[in-house]
Amino acid sequence: MDPIRLDVDTPSRRYTLTLGHGLLDRLAPLLDEADVPARRFVVSNALVWRLHGSRLASAGLDRPILLADGERHKQMPGVSRVHDALIRANAERSSALITFGGGVIGDMAGFAAATYLRGIALVHVPTTLLAQVDSAIGGKVGVNHPLGKNLIGAFHQPHAVFIDTSVLATLPRREFRAGLYEVIKYGMTSSPGLFDRVAHDLAAVFARDPQVLTALITESCRIKATVVAADEREAGLRRILNFGHTAGHALEAVTKYRRFRHGEAVAYGMLVAAELSVLRGALADLDRKALADLIASLGPLPSIADVSASQMIDAMQHDKKMVGGRLHFVLPTAIGATTIVDDVADSEIRTALDKVGFRK
Ligand SMILES: NC(=O)c1ccc[n+]([C@@H]2O[C@H](COP(=O)([O-])OP(=O)(O)OC[C@H]3O[C@@H](n4cnc5c(N)ncnc54)[C@H](O)[C@@H]3O)[C@@H](O)[C@H]2O)c1
Ligand SMILES: [Zn+2]
């Protein structure tokens, strides 16, 4: 099957996403075709490299810079490690950095690429479902600060993105599900067709059927690419992709980033936003139920029974999505449509949290 190509046309750069099953085995010619500078450095982690690195090594990319695995390592020391390696190798302004891993590697190495010599070419080769549908597209790169998530970063659009669905075969089921919640998010914000497709093809999705996965990933990437092209710096439209993230980020923070994968917290966040929307008469309860049923059909989520509404509200108020002191919520108005509001009262949030199962 020929690879699928999608253009991302942002004000700062125009680039192409190339999707296909088995792309990694032809990565060297694909990089050449995309005019990626010839001096190439790869950043990955030991796990991803052990599973899939040989396919890059055969493309001449045989000396990866390896970073520690895990969200807790997405911090400045990882970025410095990449800088150190680039400096020691005398990497020039005309070099390229290829990230090969999930969102943690993409964000951290992407930030190193954005800052080394004030920015070198960046190529993402995402290996988790979440990175393939979300973090590899749109140019946000950065790291966490001990006091908060993603506080240090930049916008640095990649030169190209190569998405090979075959690497998903080794992704643990929990990570795979975590990415699927973001796919459901795209369906809820922008595409009833995508929403229905996840529901309808769930067995094939979980079997990681290449054709079904390619269709889901392509549609998700198309939505993200369109939104990012219209609003690169998240001044307006791009904020719809924060659907589920106001309560989702709060839940991650309250549970100290330990209990939930990001996508799982977003799943709860989407349920909270849908309840809020129903309470306000902006969403039909039938649509809320369709979302809740689809989320439930993916399997059980970690418990929230011990997380209180007050903890959640406090954490939301510390979130970056506060604008001018007001909390913003992306509320669904139907499957595939949203509105953004900034006038939600604490009492409404409490009712919605209660309905989703948070402690009073
Ligand atoms: N830049 C953005 O726009 C953006 C958007 C969404 C999320 N993010 C960031 O992405 C990060 C989460 O990314 P993630 O969910 O990919 O997590 P991750 O990068 O931690 O990857 C999850 C786990 O899967 C492993 N893994 C990766 N590929 C694998 C494969 N093919 N087979 C087996 N194991 C594999 C990783 O080593 C890791 O242990 C967060 O830090 C989040 O802030 C960024
Ligand atoms: Zn997210």
Side-chain angles (χ1 to χ4, degrees):
M1 209 169 72
D2 279 344
I4 295 165
R5 293 179 200 269
L6 296 174
D7 288 332
V8 190
D9 196 356
T10 71
S12 58
R13 187 190 306 283
R14 185 190 176 127
Y15 54 98
T16 302
L17 315 178
T18 307
L19 280 102
H21 194 78
L23 280 191
L24 279 188
D25 301 318
R26 307 179 263 146
L27 192 61
L30 287 167
L31 291 167
D32 293 341
E33 261 174 57
D35 287 328
V36 173
R39 191 129 191 255
R40 297 164 186 165
F41 295 86
V42 182
V43 182
S44 188
N45 69 38
L47 172 65
V48 173
W49 195 258
R50 179 169 56 73
L51 292 169
H52 301 288
S54 60
R55 299 168 71 190
L56 266 66
S58 63
L61 301 165
D62 54 356
R63 295 177 59 194
I65 302 165
L66 296 180
L67 300 179
D69 193 6
E71 182 73 31
R72 71 180 189 286
H73 297 291
K74 198 179 101 171
Q75 302 247 10
M76 284 306 289
V79 177
S80 296
R81 252 190 99 119
V82 178
H83 288 157
D84 292 349
L86 294 173
I87 293 166
R88 267 194 231 106
N90 294 313
E92 310 92 357
R93 176 74 188 76
S94 59
S95 311
L97 190 147
I98 301 170
T99 76
F100 186 53
V104 166
I105 292 293
D107 279 14
M108 187 157 48
F111 187 53
T115 45
Y116 181 67
L117 301 179
R118 296 193 184 81
I120 60 172
L122 170 65
V123 173
H124 287 305
V125 182
T127 63
T128 62
L129 180 59
L130 180 122
Q132 295 190 343
V133 299
D134 193 353
S135 60
I137 311 157
K140 282 192 194 175
V141 292
V143 294
N144 303 326
H145 184 275
L147 296 179
K149 205 173 133 84
N150 292 336
L151 293 181
I152 316 294
F155 282 97
H156 188 58
Q157 297 294 346
H159 209 85
V161 180
F162 296 98
I163 298 173
D164 183 345
T165 47
S166 75
V167 299
L168 300 179
T170 56
L171 196 63
R173 187 176 168 94
R174 187 171 178 195
E175 297 295 345
F176 184 74
R177 276 177 55 190
L180 273 181
Y181 298 114
E182 296 276 6
V183 174
I184 294 173
K185 176 194 78 177
Y186 290 121
M188 274 307 282
T189 60
S190 316
S191 171
L194 179 59
F195 185 95
D196 289 344
R197 198 191 278 256
V198 178
H200 186 261
D201 292 342
L202 202 60
V205 170
F206 275 124
R208 306 189 197 184
D209 177 293
Q211 265 183 335
V212 173
L213 275 186
T214 301
L216 284 192
I217 295 170
T218 305
E219 180 61 8
S220 300
C221 290
R222 199 191 308 278
I223 294 167
K224 178 125 191 203
T226 307
V227 170
V228 164
D231 175 22
E232 183 180 13
R233 300 267 167 150
E234 200 170 311
L237 182 68
R238 189 165 177 175
R239 291 192 298 157
I240 68 171
L241 301 183
N242 292 329
F243 170 53
H245 284 61
T246 308
H249 281 160
L251 183 55
E252 286 185 274
V254 168
T255 53
K256 308 227 171 339
Y257 302 96
R258 293 211 180 103
R259 187 180 307 176
F260 294 95
R261 296 300 302 146
H262 170 72
E264 294 169 342
V266 169
Y268 276 115
M270 292 192 288
L271 295 174
V272 172
E275 287 288 2
L276 268 175
S277 203
V278 170
L279 282 171
R280 304 191 133 210
L283 178 72
D285 196 54
L286 211 64
D287 288 340
R288 180 204 58 77
K289 191 164 178 312
L291 172 66
D293 288 349
L294 181 54
I295 288 173
S297 71
L298 265 56
L301 289 164
S303 170
I304 49 163
D306 60 330
V307 178
S308 76
S310 303
Q311 285 175 297
M312 286 290 289
I313 290 172
D314 280 352
M316 282 183 221
Q317 278 160 356
H318 282 99
D319 193 74
K320 277 185 297 177
K321 268 165 269 315
M322 284 275 277
V323 183
R326 297 181 82 97
L327 199 55
H328 279 63
F329 272 95
V330 182
L331 298 185
T333 52
I335 290 166
T338 56
T339 181
I340 299 182
V341 297
D342 69 350
D343 62 343
V344 182
D346 281 7
S347 57
E348 288 175 273
I349 304 177
R350 273 181 201 281
T351 310
L353 288 168
D354 181 49
K355 284 189 181 279
V356 173
F358 288 86
R359 197 156 58 80
K360 280 215 197 302

